[in-house]
Amino acid sequence: MKVAVVAITRHGIALAGKVVAALPGASLFAPEKFRAEAEAAAPAVVQCYSGKVGDQVPALFAGFDGIVAIVSLGAVVRLIAPHLGNKESDPAVVVVDEAGCFAIPVLSGHVGGANALAVHLATTLGATAVLTTASDARQTLAVDLLGRELGWTIEATHAEIVRVSAAVVNDEPVALVQEDGSGDWWTGHANGRSGPLPATLERFARIEDVDPQRFAAVLWISQRAMPDDYAVQLAGKAIVYRPGGAH
């Protein structure tokens, strides 16, 4: 992830040095008037700007996968609001307070990686990651990240992802059918999962073993095409995962 660390005060720039050190390849953006402090905090990776920090946002959105802002949460919301697109293209945005106590994902928590970035920074800085995404707050399954570290691809519409995600976080019965791929998708899950699988998630070895009427949603990990009768019965409430590579 290519990350820009933005700090606008002396104290913030000092903390930014620790943030940059924790993120290989990160760059520090700071006001020109604090160039000396910025170069001391993060030698060789400083980009100083003149004028308002808000004027830098379009370039940061276009040029970076992630933005760590050591700026107040309210100010960051106002700064990025005019530039929001969608969660598939917007960068991950994390706010860290000047005291280094909290790392707060603001934008693109799941798909963009802001939640994972916040957890990493919290671990490095000895801070607390403030995760407000339901699946992360409750340490349950994030359906849009299942198998991501393993190179799996997802076949689902936005509406299907929303519906299935809601079923998971609302503790509705969900069938998880794994016919292919590595079984290490839970312990290797994005943001870390150490507890048991949700009790409302029932596992199956074949899609034909599932009674579609019993479940609010189905997660299907397979390389084959879904049987026609199941495709009809699961329309709108299933996500298909395609494992890649060796399995």
Side-chain angles (χ1 to χ4, degrees), residues 113-134:
N115 289 2
L117 179 57
V119 170
H120 174 67
L121 290 176
T123 301
T124 302
L125 301 174
T128 298
V130 182
L131 305 182
T132 57
T133 310

Side-chain angles (χ1 to χ4, degrees), residues 187-203:
T187 53
H189 192 274
N191 304 337
R193 296 287 189 262
S194 57
L197 285 173
T200 53
L201 197 67
E202 187 172 344
R203 302 187 69 169

Side-chain angles (χ1 to χ4, degrees), residues 4 49 57 76 107 121 183 214 216:
Y49 61 86
V57 175
V76 169
L107 184 66
L121 290 176
R214 285 185 52 217

Side-chain angles (χ1 to χ4, degrees), residues 146-219:
L146 176 57
R148 185 173 185 176
E149 294 89 345
L150 299 169
W152 297 1
T153 57
I154 296 179
E155 295 178 4
T157 65
H158 175 71
E160 287 166 340
I161 291 175
V162 170
R163 180 173 176 179
V164 175
S165 296
V168 172
V169 300
N170 288 317
D171 296 327
E172 297 180 59
V174 175
L176 187 143
V177 186
Q178 183 162 14
E179 301 179 348
D180 210 328
S182 168
D184 191 34
W185 51 265
W186 180 252
T187 53
H189 192 274
N191 304 337
R193 296 287 189 262
S194 57
L197 285 173
T200 53
L201 197 67
E202 187 172 344
R203 302 187 69 169
F204 295 88
R206 298 170 66 252
I207 192 68
E208 286 84 0
D209 297 332
V210 176
D211 176 0
Q213 304 308 313
R214 285 185 52 217
F215 297 96
V218 173
L219 309 174

